[in-house]
Amino acid sequence: MNNASALDGQLNDLLADTGAIVFYLLVWALVFAGTAVFLGVFIPFITGDSLLFGSGLVAASTPNLNIAVLAIGTGLAAFLGDQVGFLLGRRFGRSSLDRHGGRRTRSAIARTEQFYRSFGWWSVVIARFMPWARVFVPVIAGVGRMNYYKFLSSNLVGAIAWGVGLTLTGYFAAAIPGVKSAAYVIAGLFIAVSIVFGVRTWRSERGPRSALSPSPAPGPADDVAPEV
């Protein structure tokens, strides 16, 4: 919450210096760049949850900002950023990530691949709330050739839950007394629900995959005497 409060003050100063239009464009550009050009790897705090929450706080205290415009634009920027990341993953593949990433980046990519294999469709939604996964899951989904329309739907759900949801959480945290202390609990519920459904999806998909895997050929010890 301290980081959000500090960013809230900086965003208020920015709004006073630049005006509403530039404020909108800058917030949307940072959200888009966080995943589209991997900016979130270097400055996750500036492109992540605190930015959304802080911009909502500012909108609640500033009549020049329209919360509907801010929230919808943020959701759209988040959606487009992940779409670009997905297409980059399809176009350049894993080898390009290995060549251009350092040891820390390669480690994050390896973790993301395991995360993606575990949660599948839900990984794109859950990743929105995890700084390292937010950047790499769209790319890994592209590298793994995830069905485009499945990614499109999961990206849309994630963009609404994270981009629109956290911005509105910040707005109502400032607008409604007593909500501010519980705002991050509300955001945590988004994560918890996503993880629960993700685990259920993963477990339900394990059964069909196990059933389709070929059984090992019987050896001499496995031979069974025919019934008489």
Side-chain angles (χ1 to χ4, degrees), residues 44-172:
F45 170 65
I46 300 298
T47 61
D49 300 353
S50 296
L51 172 66
L52 273 57
F53 189 81
S55 66
L57 291 175
V58 172
S61 61
T62 308
N64 293 340
L65 293 177
N66 185 304
I67 185 57
V69 172
L70 178 64
I72 293 173
T74 300
L76 182 60
F79 175 82
L80 293 176
D82 270 23
Q83 287 298 124
V84 171
F86 177 80
L87 295 175
L88 288 175
R90 275 202 168 185
R91 171 67 178 83
F92 295 105
R94 172 63 190 269
S95 59
S96 178
L97 294 176
D98 286 336
R99 285 197 306 271
H100 298 290
R103 185 176 64 179
R104 182 180 175 186
T105 299
R106 287 194 294 270
S107 174
I109 291 170
R111 281 187 296 157
T112 305
E113 286 179 323
Q114 179 59 42
F115 179 79
Y116 172 70
R117 284 193 295 267
S118 297
F119 293 101
W121 187 93
W122 280 97
S123 66
V124 182
V125 180
I126 301 169
R128 289 288 187 180
F129 301 90
M130 305 170 67
W132 58 270
R134 184 186 308 129
V135 178
F136 292 113
V137 160
V139 182
I140 296 303
V143 170
R145 295 285 168 176
M146 182 179 183
N147 178 277
Y148 180 77
Y149 294 103
K150 284 186 176 180
F151 179 81
L152 196 71
S153 61
S154 60
N155 184 20
L156 180 61
V157 171
I160 293 173
W162 182 73
V164 177
L166 274 184
T167 304
L168 291 177
T169 300
Y171 176 81
F172 288 114

Side-chain angles (χ1 to χ4, degrees), residues 7-74:
L7 187 59
D8 176 22
Q10 294 172 357
L11 290 173
N12 270 309
D13 293 341
L14 175 67
L15 177 62
D17 293 338
T18 62
I21 300 299
V22 174
F23 181 88
Y24 289 138
L25 293 177
L26 183 59
V27 170
W28 298 339
L30 286 171
V31 171
F32 173 81
T35 53
V37 297
F38 305 105
L39 191 62
V41 174
F42 309 103
I43 48 172
F45 170 65
I46 300 298
T47 61
D49 300 353
S50 296
L51 172 66
L52 273 57
F53 189 81
S55 66
L57 291 175
V58 172
S61 61
T62 308
N64 293 340
L65 293 177
N66 185 304
I67 185 57
V69 172
L70 178 64
I72 293 173
T74 300

Side-chain angles (χ1 to χ4, degrees), residues 209-219 222:
R209 283 201 297 266
S210 300
L212 291 173
S213 59
S215 301
D222 298 322

